[in-house]
Amino acid sequence: AVDYNPPNPDTLLPYFNGVYAGMLHGDGRPAHPNGIYGGLPILRKAQRSWPAIEHYWQTYAWSEGVRLPGCDGIQYDNGQTIAGVTVDLNEFRIEGWYLPS
């Protein structure tokens, strides 16, 4: 998660490379799918420059009202109250995911 607007997204590349390297099996295959949560600038950078990242979850903050294509999840409203609890509303569209009946 990148829950702020970094002035230079390139500074995060070593972190994400390290996370990815730590998730590899001995044969070089990823042990788990990986993803990133953040605003428009960081997700744009990830889509263009970090091919190891497979899933994208875009926050409402730092996105200037723009929805980036290719995101699995979009946070579209903040600070809503449901059953007395403050939550952020999100929409997810991931191929192959389903809700059990």
Side-chain angles (χ1 to χ4, degrees), residues 56-96:
Y56 304 90
W57 180 6
Q58 184 178 356
T59 178
Y60 182 79
W62 312 295
S63 291
E64 306 156 13
V66 175
R67 286 186 174 203
L68 186 64
C71 288
D72 302 301
I74 302 283
Q75 181 187 72
Y76 63 89
D77 201 357
N78 299 79
Q80 299 302 305
T81 302
I82 298 176
V85 178
T86 302
V87 298
D88 297 336
L89 302 179
N90 295 268
E91 175 184 304
F92 287 89
R93 295 183 181 197
I94 302 171
E95 187 175 329

